[in-house]
Amino acid sequence: GGGEGRLVSVEPSSATSLVSGKDLVITLTFSGALGRCKGGDRIPRVTECEEVAESERSFLCGLAMFLYDDGKDEGGDAPQKRNILPRKVESVDGRTVRVSFPTGGMRAGHEFVLHIQDRFFRVQGSFVRTGSHVRLHTYTVGACDCSGRGECVRGSEVCVCKRGYQGERCQ
């Protein structure tokens, strides 16, 4: 039916200077009406990952998509790899899913890559291929807090403020 489903967009595509403790919300838009690979069930309207049974959690709240630490450590230390699993998955409309990831466990300055498992979703009965999005979307918690009004310069822990703001936290 109608060719293979595709992942059309990921918003934000990438981000730096995320604030630790504030959820990272990523919106995934697919090429058509979305279902799950297991029997093609619809995606539930809201899934609070801590509240679902283990069997359900393994699918939407871990296996289908997660963030992983790219493990590039400037200090030469062995990378502490860890996956960040979704906190919440919401079906916005038939083809859009909003995923909230907790940032508390993301090490500051480390690049985390969004991994969306190939063939875990169906669009109109066809498996979704996510190959064009592999290793493309990266997210980093800033080593400094620029109050959303600047960028944290990687490695220096100094904010470069947007015009009209200044100071350590771009007040």
Side-chain angles (χ1 to χ4, degrees):
E4 281 196 317
R6 289 179 305 108
L7 174 59
V8 177
S9 71
V10 175
E11 293 294 325
S13 181
S14 293
T16 57
S17 304
L18 295 169
V19 178
S20 183
K22 186 171 184 262
D23 278 7
L24 163 62
V25 180
I26 301 175
T27 303
L28 310 174
T29 303
F30 295 84
S31 58
L34 195 60
R36 305 188 304 190
C37 67
K38 296 196 301 192
D41 308 346
R42 305 298 282 166
I43 306 282
R45 168 89 187 86
V46 177
T47 304
E48 295 279 356
C49 294
E50 283 96 48
E51 295 170 14
V52 268
E54 206 61 50
S55 59
E56 280 297 296
R57 185 179 312 163
S58 63
F59 173 72
L60 268 181
C61 298
L63 290 177
M65 56 215 145
F66 53 86
L67 296 170
Y68 68 90
D69 191 338
D70 215 17
K72 294 185 198 131
D73 232 344
E74 284 89 40
D77 299 334
Q80 289 189 328
K81 293 224 181 265
R82 70 175 294 185
N83 291 347
I84 306 295
L85 305 181
R87 182 195 307 279
K88 184 159 90 175
V89 180
E90 299 169 87
S91 176
V92 180
D93 58 34
R95 39 189 292 262
T96 306
V97 176
R98 190 181 297 126
V99 187
S100 302
F101 290 96
T103 55
M106 295 169 69
R107 284 178 65 195
H110 276 236
E111 205 166 69
F112 282 77
V113 180
L114 175 64
H115 180 79
I116 303 157
Q117 193 66 36
D118 206 12
R119 304 173 70 87
F120 248 68
F121 296 105
R122 284 180 189 265
V123 167
Q124 280 128 6
S126 302
F127 286 121
V128 171
R129 293 212 173 272
T130 58
S132 61
H133 292 268
V134 170
R135 299 185 63 79
L136 187 63
H137 308 287
T138 60
Y139 305 89
T140 308
V141 168
C144 43
D145 178 7
C146 306
S147 312
R149 296 185 284 262
E151 289 285 312
C152 188
V153 178
R154 203 177 161 153
S156 73
E157 300 190 14
V158 174
C159 291
V160 175
C161 303
K162 292 177 184 168
R163 187 183 300 232
Y165 298 97
Q166 61 188 31
E168 199 174 293
R169 297 185 59 230
C170 300
Q171 297 91 306

